[in-house]
Amino acid sequence: MKKRIITFGTFDLLHIGHLNILKRAKQMGGHLIVGISTDQLNFNKKAKKPIYSQEERLQLIEALGVVDEVFYEESLALKRTYIIEHRADILVMGNDWAGKFDEFSDICEVTYFPRTPSISSSEIIEIVRQTK
Ligand code: C2G
């Protein structure tokens, strides 16, 4: 039986670090489901909206060959519900979240992968800002 793998993220300014974690998650052997955090959720967390809208971010992730299913993550507090609703066997996150989701190990396997070094959406924004 194929495993069902779930992961969450903003995926703003799609970059190689995003692709690497999604590829690694897919390699765990199954059906990859990705929760895209909404613009409102980002605004609540960081007091700013992502550069790409939630519709654009969702379409970009959905178009990747390694992704099987996408949905909007509207609230951080609903993570348990999303895992249950999507019948996920494994939760994958980057290790910037290490330990943060261990509470869900009663309903699924929780795995953290090392982040790809030297790239992030915020760094891209910073580089573009400084480049005239
Ligand atoms: N990531 C990575 N390497 C990078 C940058 C990001 O492996 N260089 C991973 C992150 O660890 C995360 C995923 O890519 O697992 C998405 O990253 P972000 O878009 O930064 O997601 P974030 O804002 O952390 O949203 O419910 C949790 C949130 O929705 C997570």
Side-chain angles (χ1 to χ4, degrees):
M1 239 305 249
K2 269 192 176 180
K3 294 252 176 181
R4 295 173 64 83
I5 299 145
I6 195 165
T7 191
F8 296 86
T10 308
F11 301 101
D12 196 20
L13 303 174
L14 189 61
H15 59 67
I16 195 71
H18 296 144
L19 187 60
N20 285 342
I21 194 167
L22 294 174
K23 278 164 82 174
R24 279 197 73 175
K26 175 71 177 180
Q27 280 164 9
M28 296 188 85
H31 181 87
L32 179 58
I33 307 155
V34 185
I36 311 289
S37 58
T38 58
D39 291 341
Q40 190 61 51
L41 172 53
N42 274 276
F43 193 78
N44 296 346
K45 257 195 331 189
K46 307 176 188 165
K48 60 175 194 257
K49 286 197 171 163
I51 306 278
Y52 292 169
S53 70
Q54 61 188 44
E55 290 80 15
E56 291 163 338
R57 292 182 287 111
L58 182 127
Q59 282 190 53
L60 284 162
I61 295 298
E62 194 174 29
L64 298 177
V66 294
V67 173
D68 298 293
E69 214 177 309
V70 287
F71 68 96
Y72 287 120
E73 177 188 29
E74 309 218 12
S75 160
L76 295 176
L78 288 175
K79 206 157 256 108
R80 181 172 288 273
T81 306
Y82 295 133
I83 295 170
I84 293 170
E85 270 178 9
H86 291 278
R87 292 176 286 113
D89 301 298
I90 309 174
L91 168 64
V92 165
M93 290 301 294
N95 63 359
D96 46 326
W97 292 94
K100 300 263 167 54
F101 299 121
D102 289 357
E103 64 187 280
F104 305 121
S105 52
D106 59 332
I107 51 167
C108 64
E109 185 184 323
V110 181
T111 305
Y112 305 97
F113 286 142
R115 275 170 73 89
T116 302
S118 313
I119 180 112
S120 71
S121 310
S122 339
E123 280 173 66
I124 296 171
I125 294 170
E126 208 39 51
I127 291 164
V128 172
R129 250 197 206 123
Q130 287 170 8
T131 310
K132 297 221 173 114

